[in-house]
Amino acid sequence: MKARERRTGPDAYLDVHEAARLRDEVKRMKALDLEFANEMLTGAGEEVDAAAPGRWRKAAAAEKAARGKRGR
């Protein structure tokens, strides 16, 4: 299908919902990956910093926003 072609009817509805489901699945997997990395990077005997993945996501979002502003 060409990028400019538009689907109509039930197919379009399913595509939108499938895209949303996949987006949510990717977000969930990224969160799990950050949590796993945090646990793996925590040294033996150290306490896992549960807030670290949130800080990493926030830093990544800020970096993405800064790149967007520079590109305009």
Side-chain angles (χ1 to χ4, degrees):
M1 178 187 315
K2 294 181 182 177
R4 293 182 181 223
E5 290 179 6
R6 300 276 181 192
R7 289 188 179 187
T8 57
D11 287 344
Y13 181 78
L14 290 175
D15 286 346
V16 169
H17 287 279
E18 179 69 4
R21 186 189 66 74
L22 291 171
R23 178 204 60 219
D24 294 343
E25 182 70 10
V26 167
K27 283 183 182 181
R28 185 186 68 76
M29 292 174 79
K30 283 182 178 180
L32 287 173
D33 187 44
L34 287 174
E35 290 171 16
F36 177 75
N38 188 29
E39 289 176 10
M40 295 306 296
L41 295 173
T42 301
E46 294 180 14
E47 187 173 326
V48 173
D49 182 2
R55 287 194 308 273
W56 297 336
R57 281 191 290 274
K58 197 177 288 186
E63 183 180 316
K64 182 178 177 182
R67 278 194 312 252
K69 289 180 182 177
R70 282 186 265 150
R72 292 184 179 183

